[in-house]
Amino acid sequence: MSIVVAQLGARMHYAVPCLLHRAGRLDHFFTDLCASKGWPRWCSRLPAGLASDGLRRLGGRDPQGVPGERITAFNVLGLRYARMRRRARSPEELTQSFLWAGRAFCRRIVSRGLGEARSVYAFNSAALELFEAAKARGRRTVLEQTIAPRRVEHTLLQEEHERFPDWHCAADESDVLDRYCAREEAEWRLADLILCGSDFVRDGIAQCGGPVERCVVVPYGV
């Protein structure tokens, strides 16, 4: 069964698309910034003394072993996303950048099409519109929940802020946070399988009333 992988960012150094390609299961890989596609290819050719930290990090965003014809990178989107995160001055602005990037990323993939792939593999907060399109076409959906649900994270931050009010700014209390949480929970409802990196993540989904019966814990190696 061929699989489309959609990954916003370079989580785990692209382990998922690389492993699926080695297993002969990768149909196509979509991402935001990729050092082997388009203008970022020139970053790796710059002398070490001329490359900034950001350019060096970009040069390392390369899904090793995945053929270029199986990769689509939305580099302009990636640059805008990086700029939004860098300029965020509050938890609310940072969450807003996550929401914008997740929606924009999914919509670009849907506009390109899913080809003949029978399954779609995506990550939390960057899967909703993609999963909606996949389910409408009878495709299987797999979500990787890389961290505890944002609603759980928010509760923990609130508790710590009440205990130590002088240590850190208060957790985000805006409607933007509510939209982010609602997005995560909608992705769970559309996922046929939810991969969790730990029992803590799975328990967080259960705490939020999510479909824990569809959760499988696959611990990260490191």
Side-chain angles (χ1 to χ4, degrees), residues 4-8 28-32 72 74 105 109 112-113:
V4 161
V5 176
Q7 181 174 333
L8 189 61
H28 205 79
F29 174 48
F30 292 94
T31 189
D32 53 339
T72 295
F74 305 111
F105 183 56
I109 296 171
R112 292 293 184 97

Side-chain angles (χ1 to χ4, degrees), residues 2-58:
S2 58
I3 303 171
V4 161
V5 176
Q7 181 174 333
L8 189 61
R11 296 168 178 172
M12 300 180 293
H13 299 283
Y14 304 111
V16 171
C18 291
L19 289 170
L20 286 173
H21 175 66
R22 288 181 206 166
R25 304 289 293 277
L26 181 69
D27 181 90
H28 205 79
F29 174 48
F30 292 94
T31 189
D32 53 339
L33 281 169
C34 181
S36 60
K37 297 292 288 186
W39 58 263
R41 288 178 295 179
W42 296 98
C43 295
S44 61
R45 303 180 187 182
L46 288 173
L50 296 180
S52 65
D53 289 342
L55 287 176
R56 281 194 291 272
R57 287 195 298 272
L58 175 56

